[in-house]
Amino acid sequence: MSEPFDAIILGAGAAGLAAGRELHHGGRRVLIVEARDRIGGRIFTRREAGLQTPIELGAEFVHGKPKATLDLIEKAGLSLNESRDVRLLSQNGKLMPLKDFWSLVESVNSRIDPDEDITYQEFLDKTDASDFAKRLAKSYAQGLNAARAEIISAHAIAFSERAAASTDGRRNFRVTAGYDAVIHQLARQIPEESIRLSDPVLEVKWKPGSVEIRTTRTTYSAKKAIITVPLGVLRAGTIIFDPPLTTKAYAFSRLEMGHVVKAIVYFRKRWWEKTAGTFGYAISYDAPIPTWWTQLPARTGLLTGWASGPAGEDLAKCQRTEILSQAVTSLLRIFGVAEETIDNELVACHFHNWSEDPFSLGAYSYPAVGGIEAARQLAQPVENTLFFAGEATDFSGHHGTVHAAIASGYRAADEIIAQTVLSAVP
């Protein structure tokens, strides 16, 4: 076995690459081990011949103006397009504008008691906001967080909204060149030989000051490890930890993995503009895929369907042909067009079922009751040997976002660097 690395990082997603870059800059000998045949993790950008707009099967939006992401975008010379925040609601067979969307959601969520940690559904059941506003707020909370209202913490939702306000998080931006351009900016200063792809980790055997990582190919040794694999994988136990991560039991019990199926449907013409005009987002309460958005301000034939939370759980059980059928059903129900219109204009469909993805087992995390403190616990190092990063370790209210993942990678790397410096002080 070769000389131990200073640190081995499990996962070449946003968190793992951010940690690897920081440690490499700090002069540490680092290895990043990735199960997939690509970097990026839950950022998954594809490009279709003849289509100028990148297809984002994973993370798509930069939420607000988070420093961790914007710094990378600026250094890479990338540009952003702000999505058009024009929202429609499909209800009782009719499309109606939602010009007061944010004020309606706020009229509900502003009533959350920050000192009472109950589920969001329990909060909705007892609040005296209008039924229309509560239904809209529930749809938004479940869709954004990929959560179930009867599980997600109301306190966490309020906390997350305050955090989003600090970064202008209600505004959504797309990276014009594709989100993977941010990932490649993170990776460009890490030596290519320091990233091993298509090498799933099977076991992490550790003791204070020493780690052995057994993969499908070989065994690596290091002084420390940073674990950035998604919460779904950690909870499933597909990676064996010896000794087990008993100190993380509370975190695993109070953090949930949200489920998302994303469908990107490409049409020859923007047929929806005849009935709905130009819009950013269309929402339905009863369609199998309840949320759809356009690429505005880019005028393209792409419509993106988003099924998350309970809708995502239902759709995750379906095969690709059934997902396409449910996508068509949803578009018919929301926009009230003839099925022939969709069939005649349809060019291609792209899907990704994050719940069935073996290297994520879900889309992103959300806090159950007590989950904010659980995320803090998950982020805590174990015996100054195992360190943890990834969006699920965020306890600042930005869970589920790319910028939370990037910031967590920087944090974990800084913890190792600080601990190393302290141990060197006589």
Side-chain angles (χ1 to χ4, degrees):
M1 190 178 297
S2 61
E3 180 184 349
F5 292 92
D6 292 313
I8 293 178
I9 299 169
L10 278 63
L17 293 171
R21 190 175 98 157
E22 287 294 287
L23 288 173
H24 180 68
H25 285 177
R28 271 61 177 184
R29 186 166 177 258
V30 180
L31 179 68
I32 303 176
V33 183
E34 169 57 50
R36 304 180 191 275
D37 61 0
R38 60 175 178 83
I39 61 174
R42 286 168 280 173
I43 292 177
F44 186 14
T45 306
R46 294 180 63 177
R47 290 167 180 82
E48 187 85 7
L51 184 63
Q52 292 182 340
T53 305
I55 296 169
E56 302 288 5
L57 291 171
E60 180 169 347
F61 296 110
V62 177
H63 300 286
K65 298 180 178 180
K67 186 178 187 309
T69 308
L70 290 190
D71 283 352
L72 291 167
I73 288 171
E74 182 179 346
K75 289 175 182 176
L78 300 171
S79 61
L80 294 173
N81 274 330
E82 184 170 4
S83 69
R84 189 72 56 82
D85 195 15
V86 177
R87 296 175 186 258
L88 304 176
L89 174 64
S90 173
Q91 193 172 27
N92 301 322
K94 296 182 179 180
L95 274 172
M96 57 180 285
L98 275 174
K99 294 181 180 179
D100 52 354
F101 174 80
W102 289 116
S103 61
L104 284 166
V105 170
E106 190 171 346
S107 74
V108 177
N109 291 344
S110 62
R111 302 166 191 253
I112 296 174
D113 183 349
D115 297 322
E116 184 181 25
D117 200 2
I118 58 176
T119 70
Y120 193 62
Q121 187 61 58
E122 288 172 325
F123 156 72
L124 290 174
D125 289 342
K126 70 177 189 175
T127 193
D128 59 353
S130 72
D131 290 342
F132 181 83
K134 287 196 290 185
R135 191 176 190 188
L136 189 67
K138 179 177 178 178
S139 171
Y140 173 67
Q142 292 193 142
L144 177 69
N145 294 283
R148 284 191 167 271
E150 64 269 24
I151 296 177
I152 191 170
S153 159
H155 173 57
I157 287 177
F159 184 50
S160 179
E161 291 203 350
R162 291 194 299 271
S166 70
T167 58
D168 210 2
R170 286 181 176 174
R171 298 172 65 188
N172 288 323
F173 302 84
R174 294 183 181 90
V175 182
T176 308
Y179 222 143
D180 63 345
V182 176
I183 286 298
H184 290 296
Q185 174 64 19
L186 271 173
R188 65 185 300 178
Q189 295 182 42
I190 302 172
E192 187 176 345
E193 64 272 15
S194 296
I195 303 176
R196 309 282 171 85
L197 301 177
S198 302
D199 200 7
V201 173
L202 303 175
E203 183 180 24
V204 178
K205 192 170 184 178
W206 66 278
K207 60 184 178 181
S210 176
V211 181
E212 285 188 1
I213 308 290
R214 182 168 63 87
T215 74
T216 54
R217 294 181 181 179
T218 187
T219 299
Y220 306 103
S221 62
K223 300 171 185 176
K224 303 177 187 300
I226 299 179
I227 317 300
T228 77
V229 297
L231 175 68
V233 174
L234 285 177
R235 286 181 48 166
T238 53
I239 298 175
I240 298 169
F241 285 83
D242 180 16
L245 297 175
T246 54
T247 61
K248 305 299 180 182
Y250 176 79
F252 292 160
S253 71
R254 296 294 178 173
L255 294 172
E256 296 292 333
M257 200 66 174
H259 297 278
V260 171
V261 174
K262 200 172 183 185
I264 294 92
V265 191
Y266 181 33
F267 296 97
R268 292 182 182 86
K269 297 179 182 178
R270 298 184 298 277
W271 52 263
W272 54 88
E273 292 185 356
K274 291 184 178 180
T275 56
T278 58
F279 67 93
Y281 305 86
I283 306 162
S284 170
Y285 294 135
D286 56 3
I289 301 181
T291 302
W292 291 82
W293 57 72
T294 67
Q295 295 290 308
L296 285 177
R299 303 289 296 277
T300 75
L302 281 184
L303 280 179
T304 298
W306 177 264
S308 60
E313 292 174 21
D314 291 341
L315 209 60
K317 304 169 187 174
C318 299
Q319 300 297 317
R320 291 178 62 87
T321 54
E322 179 62 16
I323 293 174
L324 174 59
S325 174
Q326 296 285 42
V328 172
T329 297
S330 301
L331 292 171
L332 294 174
R333 190 172 299 174
I334 293 170
F335 295 101
V337 295
E339 188 168 355
E340 291 78 12
T341 300
I342 294 177
D343 290 342
N344 291 339
E345 300 298 339
L346 181 64
V347 176
C349 300
H350 299 271
F351 306 104
H352 198 78
N353 184 343
W354 289 98
S355 300
E356 295 298 317
D357 187 318
F359 303 128
S360 63
L361 298 178
Y364 47 83
S365 69
Y366 68 90
V369 173
I372 294 175
E373 286 307 309
R376 189 187 301 273
Q377 186 201 65
L378 183 59
Q380 289 296 311
V382 177
E383 299 285 354
N384 284 323
T385 302
L386 300 182
F387 296 77
F388 295 83
E391 53 83 16
T393 68
D394 174 81
F395 48 87
S396 67
H398 296 284
H399 63 269
T401 66
V402 173
H403 56 272
I406 294 170
S408 74
Y410 293 155
R411 169 191 49 76
D414 289 343
E415 287 169 349
I416 287 181
I417 292 169
Q419 196 268 336
T420 306
V421 170
L422 285 174
S423 65
V425 174

